[in-house]
Amino acid sequence: MRRLIPILFICFCLAIPSVSTGAQKVHKYTFNITIGKWKILPDVAVKSLMINNQIPGPKIEVTEGDIVEVKVINNTPLPHTIHWHGLELANNQDGVPYVTQDPIKKGESFTYRFVAYPAGTRFWHCHWSTLLHISGGMYGSLIIHPKDSSKDLNKKYNVSQDRTFVIDSIDPEWQEKMLTMMEKMHAMEEKADAKMKMHKMSGERLFSSPEEFVNAVEKEGYKSPYLEPLPKPTYKYHLINGHPYPLTPSIKTKVGETVRLRLINAGNIPHYLHFHGMQFLVVAVDGNTLVNPIELNTVPIFPGQTKDLTLQPKIPGWWAVHDHAEWGSTNNGHFPGGTMFLIGVADKKGKISDYTPKITLTQ
C-alpha cells in the first residue's frame, strides 16, 4: 500500500536496536527528514515531509524511565525541530525553535536525549512552521508503557490487541504550493548575503524582546511578514496511519475479546468517531488514565489530543466506524472516505458475517 516516489534524498535508516546501560534501557533512533511524494491513495500522491520515508514517522515504544535518544538529520532545505508532545523532560529537549533551541537547518543534525516520562499514549511532531509541517507528515506515535505493572491498562482490561491509529487531515494543493514556496525561499536565503537576510526593513528577523519588535516597526520601518497573508488550507483528505478509507487499517476481533485502541489526532481539525454496534470505554485522555472511565459510542478527538479506548464488542459482524462530522468521512468531498474503518467481530466459531463488505468510492 505504501508506495513512495522520492524527490530529494532516499535513506532507509531505521531505528537502532535498544541497548542497556546499567539500570536504564537506552533506545536509539535516527530520523532522516526528506521531501518526497507520499501515495495516500493509488492515484493520489502528495508532496510531503517524511521521516525515514514514511508517514506517520517511526513509532517509538518504550517503558517509563527508559532513555530515548533520537538523532535528527535534516536533508531538506527547511528548518525543523521535534517536539515530544505530552512529556515532562529537560527544557532543552522540548524542541521549540528559538525558545529551547535553534532550528535544525539544512545539512545539520541534532540529537535529542530524554527520559520517557510519564507513561501513556503520547506523540511527537515537528514544531517549526507547525501548521505546514504537521500536515506535511512530520509526526509519529510515542507509546510509553508504565513501569508499575499495577498501572498497566492492558493487564487491567485483559487486552488482546493494542492498536494505534494516528489521524491527520491534509490539503494536497495547498501543501504542494507551500512546500515549494518555502523551498524556493530558503534556497534564495542561502544564496543571499548574510546581511541581506537579516535586513532591518523586511523579511525574517530575530528579536530579543517584544519591546525590540515594537521599536523596529515604529521607529525603523520594519515590515512584518504577516502583512502579506498566506493561503489557508482546505482539508480534503483525512488519514489514519497515512491513508484515507478505503486504505485505512481494519480491526479483527471476536466476541469476548478486548481491544485497546489508541487514537492520536496529529492534525489540525477535530474528528468525532462513531462506532456502530457497540459501546466502548474511554480509559485515558492525553495519555493520562481516567479515574472514572466514560462509556460512549461517539468520541471527539481534538487536535493535539490522544484518547485510549477499550472495546469489547458483543455482537458478531462487520461494524463501521466513521467521522460523524461527515466531512471527515470524505475523500475530496466524495463519501465514503477519510477517517472510516471497519471492525470485524467473529463469533465463538470464528465466523464474522454472512455478508462480505464491498468497497464503494462514491455514494
Side-chain angles (χ1 to χ4, degrees):
M1 293 288 186
R2 299 187 171 188
R3 297 176 61 197
L4 180 65
I5 306 170
I7 285 185
L8 294 180
F9 178 88
I10 300 179
C11 183
F12 295 98
C13 297
L14 300 176
I16 300 172
S18 304
V19 296
S20 181
T21 57
Q24 287 180 296
K25 200 171 189 179
V26 181
H27 303 261
K28 294 186 177 183
Y29 299 83
T30 299
F31 282 11
N32 289 281
I33 310 172
T34 59
I35 296 177
K37 288 279 189 176
W38 179 252
K39 271 197 171 182
I40 63 171
L41 290 164
D43 45 6
V44 181
V46 183
K47 187 172 186 177
S48 303
L49 289 156
M50 290 167 287
I51 294 180
N52 297 354
N53 297 318
Q54 64 187 73
I55 294 176
K59 180 179 185 179
I60 296 176
E61 189 165 5
V62 298
T63 299
E64 188 176 27
D66 289 353
I67 293 174
V68 178
E69 186 174 293
V70 182
K71 183 177 182 180
V72 179
I73 303 170
N74 185 5
N75 293 300
T76 79
L78 314 180
H80 304 285
T81 61
I82 302 295
H83 169 60
W84 314 99
H85 192 100
L87 269 63
E88 299 174 28
L89 71 182
N91 182 250
N92 64 0
Q93 301 301 300
D94 196 45
V96 183
Y98 297 125
V99 175
T100 65
Q101 69 175 101
D102 286 346
I104 308 165
K105 296 181 180 179
K106 177 184 177 181
E108 295 181 348
S109 67
F110 183 89
T111 299
Y112 294 92
R113 185 180 171 90
F114 55 86
V115 175
Y117 179 84
T121 301
R122 319 285 175 180
F123 73 107
W124 56 263
H125 62 82
C126 183
H127 221 296
W128 176 275
S129 189
T130 316
L131 175 65
L132 174 60
H133 288 210
I134 286 184
S135 289
M138 292 190 67
Y139 55 80
S141 57
L142 174 50
I143 309 301
I144 304 176
H145 296 286
K147 192 171 185 178
D148 183 350
S149 61
S150 68
K151 297 180 180 179
D152 188 344
L153 295 177
N154 286 355
K155 290 184 177 180
K156 179 178 179 179
Y157 292 99
N158 193 26
V159 169
S160 298
Q161 293 184 57
D162 187 340
R163 302 287 297 274
T164 302
F165 284 7
V166 187
I167 300 170
D168 186 23
S169 297
I170 63 173
D171 178 343
E173 292 80 15
W174 173 83
Q175 197 162 296
E176 171 99 24
K177 182 177 181 179
M178 290 296 293
L179 282 173
T180 301
M181 183 177 73
M182 294 298 177
E183 284 179 296
K184 290 179 179 178
M185 182 186 76
H186 287 287
M188 289 174 62
E189 286 183 349
E190 276 189 353
K191 294 178 181 179
D193 182 85
K195 292 181 181 179
M196 291 300 293
K197 283 201 296 181
M198 303 301 289
H199 195 279
K200 292 184 178 182
M201 297 306 292
S202 62
E204 176 64 25
R205 180 178 172 184
L206 299 177
F207 301 97
S208 60
S209 66
E211 291 77 15
E212 184 179 336
F213 165 57
V214 172
N215 183 69
V217 173
E218 295 182 347
K219 297 182 180 180
E220 300 174 13
Y222 172 76
K223 292 181 175 59
S224 306
Y226 53 69
L227 294 177
E228 295 184 12
L230 291 173
K232 297 179 181 179
T234 301
Y235 297 111
K236 299 174 181 177
Y237 295 89
H238 312 277
L239 317 180
I240 296 177
N241 293 352
H243 301 281
Y245 178 86
L247 302 187
T248 48
S250 60
I251 295 173
K252 287 186 179 180
T253 184
K254 60 184 179 182
V255 172
E257 286 190 345
T258 301
V259 176
R260 180 178 185 174
L261 179 55
R262 303 172 188 259
L263 296 174
I264 299 171
N265 189 348
N268 295 302
I269 64 173
H271 297 273
Y272 305 84
L273 297 184
H274 172 56
F275 289 65
H276 288 211
M278 68 191 74
Q279 315 302 316
F280 54 80
L281 287 179
V282 181
V283 295
V285 176
D286 285 345
N288 305 313
T289 300
L290 296 182
V291 176
N292 298 305
I294 304 168
E295 189 173 27
L296 299 173
N297 56 59
T298 304
V299 60
I301 177 85
F302 296 100
Q305 192 172 56
T306 75
K307 287 189 176 177
D308 291 47
L309 320 178
T310 57
L311 323 169
Q312 195 177 61
K314 301 173 184 176
I315 308 171
W318 285 103
W319 299 105
V321 180
H322 64 99
D323 193 339
H324 231 293
E326 293 293 350
W327 189 253
S329 292
T330 66
N331 290 334
N332 203 19
H334 293 270
F335 180 89
T339 51
M340 296 182 62
F341 63 94
L342 299 180
I343 300 178
V345 183
D347 60 18
K348 292 182 179 180
K349 295 181 180 180
K351 184 178 181 180
I352 294 179
S353 173
D354 291 327
Y355 184 79
T356 301
K358 300 171 181 64
I359 292 173
T360 174
L361 297 177
T362 186
Q363 292 181 16

